[in-house]
Amino acid sequence: MLLLAQISDLHLDGTARATERAAKTVAYLRNLPQPVDALLVTGDIADTAAPAEYAEAAELLSDFPAPVLWCPGNHDARPAYREFLLGEPPSAGPINELHKIKDAVLLMCDSSVPGNDEGLLDDETTAWIRTTLDQHRDAPAFLAFHHPPAAMHHPLPDAYRLQREAELAELLSAYPSVVALITGHAHTAAVSTFAGRPVLVGPAVTWTLRLPWEGTALADLDAPPGLAYHVLSDGVLTTHYRVVV
């Protein structure tokens, strides 16, 4: 069995509110009776991309009892992200990383577009995905990135969703080993499909999106932080959502 935890959209901004919500969520995961196999952090780690926000994130998840796998979101900046979260020299290129967890491969992909809020798996990232999946055709694979390639039925996230989706659909058609797409960005726990694969959207730590039929206010600031568990067992994927109260 493979057990993955996912948190998303921490939007650390130096305020006590953001710090408290993130710390409470990470403490919940640290104190699980059974540790997860890996923790996925699917973007918008920082709110303004200030170095101090990444330093806080790195400290928050230091010595976590499982590998921490990151990918950037539209609020993140690649140079500071690289320096403070990965310990690499700052640079502006896309941040794509392969991780092998038990028998599975997890591709943490960069769907951010510097200076813009919409998402894109650019040519460099798409080529990297193809090469990586070619090298691991026999392993169950997960693609994790920030922007969901599916409608969330709210004008805000739907205005800034993943672009060039047809190219991703074509890519997926060649790789039946891809189990699911794991994303964030929408600030709401959601499940959809894309190109015949599950799209598992993690809830946000910072605030929850109110859908149009729930009221006119955009953000529910009082909703507790959320997280997801993704469990792969005997080839069957199950997702559980939790709130941290």
Side-chain angles (χ1 to χ4, degrees), residues 11 44 47 73-76 111-120 146-148 156-163 185:
H11 287 272
D44 281 2
D47 190 63
N74 53 293
H75 277 253
D76 294 310
S111 66
S112 68
V113 179
N116 294 280
D117 286 326
E118 69 269 16
L120 177 68
H146 186 63
H147 299 77
L156 181 63
D158 287 348
Y160 303 110
R161 60 191 280 182
L162 192 73
Q163 306 298 300
H185 186 55

Side-chain angles (χ1 to χ4, degrees), residues 2-6 35-40 64-69 101 106:
L2 175 69
L3 173 59
L4 305 173
Q6 179 196 5
V36 299
D37 293 313
L39 171 61
L40 282 61
F64 190 79
V68 179
L69 319 184
I101 306 294
L106 288 91

Side-chain angles (χ1 to χ4, degrees), residues 6 16 33 47 53 98 104 146 168 224 227 235:
Q6 179 196 5
D47 190 63
E53 296 167 356
L98 168 67
H146 186 63
L168 176 60
L227 58 91

Side-chain angles (χ1 to χ4, degrees), residues 145-227:
F145 46 89
H146 186 63
H147 299 77
M152 294 291 101
H153 304 287
H154 189 287
L156 181 63
D158 287 348
Y160 303 110
R161 60 191 280 182
L162 192 73
Q163 306 298 300
R164 289 164 47 180
E165 294 175 0
E167 295 179 18
L168 176 60
E170 180 185 2
L171 183 154
L172 291 171
S173 69
Y175 298 99
S177 61
V178 175
V179 177
L181 312 177
I182 300 176
T183 72
H185 186 55
H187 286 241
T188 181
V191 175
S192 187
T193 58
F194 176 79
R197 314 302 164 90
V199 177
L200 308 172
V201 184
V205 170
T206 181
W207 53 263
T208 296
L209 181 74
R210 280 197 181 97
L211 296 165
W213 52 89
E214 294 180 309
T216 57
L218 171 68
D220 185 349
L221 299 176
D222 296 324
L227 58 91

